[in-house]
Amino acid sequence: MKKYKRLIIILNLALFLLYFNYLIFQKEDLLDSGQLVLLKLAPVDPRSLMQGDYMSLRYDIPAKFDFAKLSERGYCVVRLDEYGVAALIRFQEDITPLGSGEYLIKYALVDKWNLKFGAESFFFQEGQSQKYEVAEYGGLKVDDNGNSLLSGLYDKYKKKIN
Amino acid sequence: MKNIQREDIHLISQHSNLTQEDIEKSLESNVYNSKEAWLSFFRLLLGSLAVGLTVSGIIFFLAYNWAGLHKFVKLGLTEGLLIAVTGLVLLAKIDTNTRNLILTGASFLIGALFALFGQIYQTGADSYNLFLAWTIFITLWVAISDFAPLWLLYIILVNTTLLLYIQQIAKNLPDSLIFDLLLILNSIFLISGILISRKNKAITIPTWFLNTLALACAAISTLGISIGILDHHNLILLILISLVAILFALGIWYALKINSIFYLSLIAFSLIIIASSLLANILDNEIMFLLVGVFIASSITLTVRFLLILQKKWAHEN
């Protein structure tokens, strides 16, 4: 094998590993230092949504709003109650303005009726679906820029389902 | 006669005074595969099996032990394996084919890692980003490998990424534009493949690879136009029809030049399907179903007859 090919193979591997582990670091950082926000799951009969090894999620907040006036991408501003459950305050296009006690969650408009935060399904091992049927809240970890990561499902006592 | 088949020898043996040894000799030199050919076949077969089974073994191991493993163990194991596999490509004294097979396995592992990442961090909705990253991070390997199966994986990934981009990011584009873009993408791959294999004798591109690409182009053309006829997206359909017309004309010209039945039959059957959907769209009743049925039966019979005649003619020319 020619020498430059060797170098390119190594270079590609190195670039990939750098990028991939940076992604992992980013997510871990968000999980460690992000603020936990509980979003009420929309009552769309969770049992029928069980499909093999994942559960599709719909959050309750956006359901009450008229999306026609919203821009394609933006931020959802929420305020938390004492248990960490989010209540929607408003939608906005930029990360500012932001009052104290308010948190940002980045959203994207799927179509005229649906918003997504990037975590619309929850994956788990096969055969574990019963455990997750009692889920009432989706727990998102959010950072100051509105990036969010689904960290787990929570039951009605706001306890994480493990 | 360049290409002597088993049937030719059989025919000659009955109508000539060739001895049994002569026949055996000519069978051995013209028809039977040599020991080397069998060896290289087995090397390729067992090599592909080894790579495929190893990669799927890891995926099943992770899937089965999902809940029992810490996420860093899952990621670390797979990353370690990727490094080991790539190391094997670099260090071991192995022939080019085996090396390329291992590199293909490594490219699949990169995809598996991104899938793992998506599952662990619950980023299921973000599949466009993951496929884009997978495509980008095997590009260099694909470029230096000169290996058709790896190129095929790459082209499938580029197509998937483009599809996901249209579905998840560029949602305002009309659906029927997808076919235009896919056709342009794949015909660029096909035409450059043909050009490279004809201009540069040092690079051999296997026929099955080019035929797969041609099949993809024909399928996209056929589906695109058939759906477009039903959808009435006139401007986009017009672009697609002009593209397909140019491509098919090029295809027929090229097929006649290199005596390829494959391209001709592909184009013919694609045209038959398009014509049928056009007919079905004009009138939507029982009579039309009968007409379309008769049309399909007769046009296919005629096409096959024509292709057979052509094939016979070309066989005699060689």
Side-chain angles (χ1 to χ4, degrees):
Chain A
M1 189 168 37
K2 291 193 185 94
K3 203 171 173 198
Y4 81 94
K5 285 198 177 182
R6 255 172 224 279
L7 283 177
I8 288 176
I9 290 177
I10 297 173
L11 178 74
N12 193 355
L13 180 68
L15 285 176
F16 166 74
L17 288 175
L18 267 177
Y19 173 74
F20 192 70
N21 288 306
Y22 172 69
L23 282 184
I24 295 174
F25 169 77
Q26 238 184 358
K27 298 288 184 197
E28 285 301 324
D29 192 43
L30 184 52
L31 281 180
D32 277 351
S33 56
Q35 166 69 37
L36 180 68
V37 173
L38 294 182
L39 292 179
K40 184 108 176 74
L41 295 174
V44 275
D45 188 10
R47 263 153 293 271
S48 74
L49 288 173
M50 297 295 183
Q51 293 180 338
D53 53 357
Y54 80 98
M55 174 177 177
S56 60
L57 305 177
R58 249 190 69 198
Y59 301 110
D60 201 20
I61 318 180
K64 297 167 194 155
F65 273 78
D66 175 21
F67 299 136
K69 289 173 243 138
L70 280 184
S71 56
E72 278 269 311
R73 269 149 215 282
Y75 300 89
C76 183
V77 181
V78 298
R79 203 180 269 282
L80 305 183
D81 71 5
E82 55 200 298
Y83 303 106
V85 177
L88 179 71
I89 307 296
R90 62 179 181 276
F91 289 103
Q92 62 190 35
E93 281 190 37
D94 296 305
I95 56 171
T96 50
L98 194 67
S100 68
E102 290 179 344
Y103 292 94
L104 293 165
I105 307 173
K106 216 185 263 173
Y107 74 82
L109 215 53
V110 183
D111 50 39
K112 281 183 204 121
W113 302 277
N114 287 298
L115 277 185
K116 66 169 188 176
F117 300 121
E120 268 52 42
S121 48
F122 183 75
F123 292 93
F124 46 81
Q125 192 175 11
E126 256 181 54
Q128 309 255 307
S129 60
Q130 271 189 333
K131 207 165 79 179
Y132 293 102
E133 274 175 17
V134 294
E136 292 261 315
Y137 300 95
L140 296 190
K141 289 273 190 162
V142 297
D143 69 7
D144 297 341
N145 297 315
N147 296 311
S148 68
L149 191 57
L150 181 63
S151 67
L153 297 185
Y154 290 73
D155 63 15
K156 61 182 169 187
Y157 308 108
K158 285 92 184 170
K159 274 185 68 178
K160 190 171 179 179
I161 305 171
N162 281 313
Chain B
M1 223 171 164
K2 266 185 279 178
N3 195 1
I4 301 171
Q5 302 289 320
R6 190 188 294 267
E7 292 78 17
D8 301 324
I9 296 173
H10 184 71
L11 204 68
I12 292 168
S13 72
Q14 288 179 337
H15 302 283
S16 70
N17 52 1
L18 279 174
T19 64
Q20 200 164 355
E21 285 92 68
D22 286 335
I23 292 166
E24 220 155 78
K25 224 162 147 189
S26 68
L27 273 174
E28 241 158 53
S29 59
N30 289 302
V31 177
Y32 296 157
N33 288 310
S34 66
K35 194 170 147 195
E36 285 72 37
W38 275 108
L39 269 179
S40 80
F41 166 73
F42 274 118
R43 214 173 288 140
L44 209 63
L45 176 74
L46 294 176
S48 327
L49 276 177
V51 172
L53 290 176
T54 311
V55 171
S56 47
I58 294 150
I59 290 168
F60 283 118
F61 173 79
L62 289 173
Y64 187 74
N65 296 297
W66 189 251
L69 292 171
H70 188 264
K71 57 188 168 186
F72 288 149
V73 178
K74 297 174 205 165
L75 289 166
L77 266 179
T78 323
E79 275 190 45
L81 193 86
L82 176 69
I83 295 170
V85 166
T86 320
L88 203 65
V89 175
L90 294 171
L91 300 175
K93 280 194 168 33
I94 38 180
D95 65 285
T96 320
N97 255 338
T98 316
R99 201 170 51 223
N100 283 334
L101 267 177
I102 300 175
L103 208 54
T104 309
S107 306
F108 273 108
L109 269 178
I110 288 195
L113 269 166
F114 278 119
L116 200 59
F117 178 84
Q119 295 244 328
I120 288 175
Y121 296 107
Q122 307 285 356
T123 57
D126 241 5
S127 42
Y128 161 70
N129 283 333
L130 294 192
F131 270 93
L132 180 66
W134 187 5
T135 313
I136 289 173
F137 282 106
I138 65 168
T139 303
L140 286 177
W141 287 351
V142 175
I144 60 155
S145 74
D146 268 352
F147 191 52
L150 190 50
W151 268 104
L152 193 64
L153 168 69
Y154 188 68
I155 290 171
I156 292 172
L157 284 180
V158 174
N159 273 297
T160 313
T161 310
L162 179 66
L163 265 178
L164 289 173
Y165 176 78
I166 295 169
Q167 275 171 9
Q168 298 183 351
I169 312 289
K171 288 189 291 274
N172 295 327
L173 291 176
D175 277 352
S176 34
L177 198 63
I178 292 175
F179 290 105
D180 294 27
L181 294 174
L182 284 179
L183 184 62
I184 293 171
L185 178 74
N186 289 291
S187 46
I188 288 174
F189 277 123
L190 175 63
I191 292 171
S192 11
I194 291 175
L195 285 180
I196 288 169
S197 70
R198 294 192 74 80
K199 297 279 177 231
N200 191 343
K201 295 288 174 221
I203 299 171
T204 45
I205 299 179
T207 316
W208 67 260
F209 178 74
L210 294 176
N211 284 355
T212 309
L213 280 181
L215 190 65
C217 288
I220 295 164
S221 312
T222 315
L223 262 179
I225 294 184
S226 302
I227 293 174
I229 288 171
L230 303 174
D231 267 1
H232 309 291
H233 260 300
N234 292 327
L235 181 67
I236 294 161
L237 183 60
L238 210 65
I239 300 173
L240 187 62
I241 290 177
S242 350
L243 273 176
V244 172
I246 296 171
L247 267 185
F248 280 11
L250 275 175
I252 293 172
W253 171 77
Y254 181 64
L256 292 176
K257 201 177 145 200
I258 64 160
N259 292 1
S260 159
I261 287 288
F262 181 77
Y263 289 97
L264 283 184
S265 27
L266 209 55
I267 292 170
F269 288 118
S270 166
L271 288 176
I272 290 174
I273 297 173
I274 291 171
S276 309
S277 46
L278 197 61
L279 281 177
N281 194 43
I282 295 172
L283 260 179
D284 194 12
N285 58 24
E286 298 83 359
I287 308 282
M288 198 38 99
F289 271 110
L290 182 68
L291 275 181
V292 170
V294 171
F295 169 73
I296 291 177
S298 49
S299 58
I300 285 184
T301 316
L302 281 176
T303 311
V304 170
R305 241 185 85 79
F306 171 72
L307 289 174
L308 280 177
I309 294 171
L310 210 58
Q311 193 182 28
K312 235 180 205 162
K313 198 176 136 223
W314 284 344
H316 286 303
E317 276 172 13
N318 285 334

